Amino acid sequence: MRPLLCFLGLAALLGPCLACPSACSCSTKKNGRLLAECAYKDLQEVPEGLSSNVTILTLSANRIIWLGQGSFAEVPEVQSLWLGYNQIGVVEPGAFALLVHLKNLDLSHNKIADFPWQDLRNLSGLQILKMNNNRLAGLPWDAFRFLKDLRSLWLNDNELTTLAEGTFDNLPSLSQLQIFNNPFNCSCKVFWLKKWTEKTSVSITKGGSTLCVAPSRLKGRAVTDIPDHHCIAPSVQLTYLSNLDNTVMYNGLTLTLHCSVAGSPPPEIRWKIQTSSRRVEIKGPNVARDGNVKQSQERFLVFKNGTMAIPNFRKEDEGIYTCLAVNDVGMRDVSVNVALAGSENPAEDLLQDDPQASHLGGRSCYKGDEMDPSGAGEKLVIVYHMPRESKSRSGRVVPQVHLRTLLLALGIVLCY
């Protein structure tokens, strides 16, 4: 009786270790890892009944079309998962999220177009990721952000037309990358990739096959050969204007800023305004040719030529005004801190506000004065006299506002 009890007890202990679906063959490797070999079995889904301590699971060359959130719930210890040469087209979020011990993941030669990239956040120990020969048309820039141990990444033979800048950042262990045979559109959105390949130590396999499909003038040319003059990062200058022109006039005090940009392709101009009570972002002009304001931010009038006007500038409009120049190569911005002050004596008013500005001597900058984009904490102080009465040609008494503008940066007048 005692030997039988011992046998049953031993079977109870070893039973979970030896559990194996009928379609698979399971064995223990010399290093103690448990292998579940389920390849070439015409399986249409991940089989049930796998041991919880399986560390190597081979499901290659089956007919699996779908991976659900609980497909690998039975194998939380798996380190190598081979799923190549199936027909996987759907991967539910969470399918891989709990496989925190995973080091090798092969999803190559499937039909994956959408992938739950957030699942990779938990796979910090992943070393090899094969997603080649799928239908991926795009990747989020932070898809691989948490894969600190990733050494080999295969993305070749997909449908990638572009890659976001920074896609391969934060991969300190990466040594091999395959991105060939993708239909890259070699606009300036992938110009960063050329620069990255010039300085990286990562081996880019078959780099010569990483070719442009578009635009037509670059078709068949390697991504690494995009001409430098084709893509130029933006430059930006911010200037103060006394008025928009001689024909556009507004009642009261009008602050007018002009943003001049350059680059290739021509940069888009955006404005950001931060006041004490609100934040405003304006992407592109909001004033049509007929003068109508197209957006709801009627306080800030943005014109196609890069000019912004704020009619009836008030105390609550004080704040930081930022002009951004954005194109496919990058972004550049310049900011100015706008404050409003009033006095009969502008120089006296400045001395009261800023004791360190005693050496200014009342100097002022006028139309076209450039705000140094490299300066930190620039301050544009609008100083105006109180309204005075004067007579017009018709004899009527009309109020006048005399405006002077002084640019300050650490107590230094920025007049160029």
Side-chain angles (χ1 to χ4, degrees):
M1 187 68 179
R2 182 175 295 176
L4 179 60
L5 291 174
C6 291
F7 175 78
L8 292 175
L10 183 61
L13 290 173
L14 295 178
C17 299
L18 300 176
C20 190
S22 58
C24 307
S25 60
C26 303
S27 60
T28 303
K29 309 290 286 184
K30 290 182 179 180
N31 56 12
R33 295 180 180 176
L34 186 62
L35 166 66
E37 176 63 63
C38 312
Y40 297 94
K41 301 297 182 180
D42 287 331
L43 297 173
Q44 297 184 19
E45 59 184 10
V46 178
E48 296 181 356
L50 291 164
S51 297
S52 61
N53 56 350
V54 166
T55 53
I56 304 173
L57 178 56
T58 302
L59 289 163
S60 304
N62 281 290
R63 293 189 292 137
I64 300 172
I65 62 174
W66 168 84
L67 295 176
Q69 186 175 1
S71 292
F72 304 105
E74 293 183 337
V75 288
E77 303 295 323
V78 70
Q79 297 180 19
S80 296
L81 181 55
W82 310 110
L83 288 158
Y85 293 93
N86 277 278
Q87 301 174 30
I88 301 170
V90 177
V91 183
E92 288 187 354
F96 301 104
L98 300 180
L99 304 182
V100 296
H101 301 287
L102 203 59
K103 294 183 179 180
N104 306 303
L105 177 58
D106 181 7
L107 287 163
S108 63
H109 296 272
N110 279 287
K111 300 177 180 180
I112 300 172
D114 295 309
F115 185 80
W117 300 104
Q118 64 272 17
D119 279 16
L120 300 183
R121 295 181 179 182
N122 296 331
L123 311 185
S124 58
L126 197 64
Q127 298 178 7
I128 298 175
L129 177 58
K130 293 185 176 183
M131 301 194 72
N132 53 292
N133 294 87
N134 275 284
R135 299 176 180 177
L136 298 173
L139 306 170
W141 70 270
D142 59 347
F144 314 114
R145 181 180 177 185
F146 300 95
L147 305 182
K148 303 298 183 183
D149 293 335
L150 190 67
R151 299 198 313 261
S152 181
L153 177 59
W154 299 39
L155 295 169
N156 55 284
D157 293 278
N158 274 283
E159 298 176 7
L160 299 172
T161 58
T162 188
L163 288 170
E165 185 171 0
T167 299
F168 307 121
D169 291 351
N170 302 308
L171 295 175
S173 302
L174 190 65
S175 59
Q176 182 188 30
L177 174 65
Q178 300 198 54
I179 55 174
F180 59 90
N181 290 345
N182 278 290
F184 283 113
N185 181 345
C186 292
S187 69
C188 293
K189 290 183 179 179
V190 297
F191 187 67
W192 71 270
L193 185 58
K194 171 187 175 176
K195 295 300 183 181
W196 182 79
T197 58
E198 291 173 352
K199 63 182 181 180
T200 186
S201 59
V202 176
S203 173
I204 304 176
T205 308
K206 293 187 178 180
S209 297
T210 309
L211 304 178
C212 304
V213 172
S216 57
R217 65 181 180 276
L218 296 177
K219 186 175 182 179
R221 195 165 181 171
V223 173
T224 53
D225 291 336
I226 300 175
D228 288 348
H229 63 80
H230 182 62
C231 303
I232 302 173
S235 61
V236 58
Q237 291 182 344
L238 190 58
T239 55
Y240 163 76
L241 301 177
S242 59
N243 275 306
L244 284 173
D245 52 46
N246 293 330
T247 60
V248 181
M249 299 294 292
Y250 297 97
N251 294 327
L253 178 63
T254 299
L255 174 68
T256 309
L257 302 174
H258 181 71
C259 189
S260 300
V261 300
S264 180
E268 171 192 351
I269 297 177
R270 303 175 187 174
W271 289 90
K272 288 185 177 181
I273 301 104
Q274 172 69 67
T275 69
S276 59
S277 60
R278 61 177 169 172
R279 293 182 180 182
V280 177
E281 183 171 356
I282 304 173
K283 297 182 178 180
N286 62 6
V287 179
R289 290 184 177 181
D290 58 6
N292 292 326
V293 180
K294 295 183 290 185
Q295 299 177 9
S296 60
Q297 301 297 342
E298 68 281 352
R299 285 288 300 129
F300 308 101
L301 306 178
V302 177
F303 297 82
K304 188 175 181 180
N305 68 349
T307 296
M308 174 194 285
I310 305 99
N312 298 308
F313 192 86
R314 303 185 293 258
K315 197 73 176 174
E316 54 264 35
D317 295 323
E318 292 182 329
I320 298 174
Y321 287 70
T322 302
C323 172
L324 301 94
V326 183
N327 68 7
D328 291 342
V329 187
M331 184 271 290
R332 184 79 185 276
D333 65 83
V334 60
S335 299
V336 62
N337 194 334
V338 181
L340 184 64
S343 172
E344 289 288 338
N345 190 331
E348 222 176 71
D349 184 86
L350 281 173
L351 292 178
Q352 292 174 1
D353 289 347
D354 187 356
Q356 296 182 358
S358 58
H359 62 284
L360 293 175
R363 295 165 55 197
S364 59
C365 302
Y366 297 95
K367 181 175 179 179
D369 293 318
E370 179 181 335
M371 299 171 193
D372 184 4
S374 63
E378 297 100 333
K379 184 178 182 182
L380 171 62
V381 181
I382 304 173
V383 184
Y384 62 99
H385 290 294
M386 300 301 291
R388 295 175 178 173
E389 293 182 348
S390 61
K391 290 185 178 181
S392 66
R393 291 181 179 179
S394 62
R396 291 194 310 163
V397 176
V398 295
Q400 288 186 343
V401 175
H402 300 281
L403 175 65
R404 293 187 183 182
T405 302
L406 292 167
L407 303 178
L408 295 158
L410 303 178
I412 302 173
V413 178
L414 299 177
C415 296
Y416 297 97

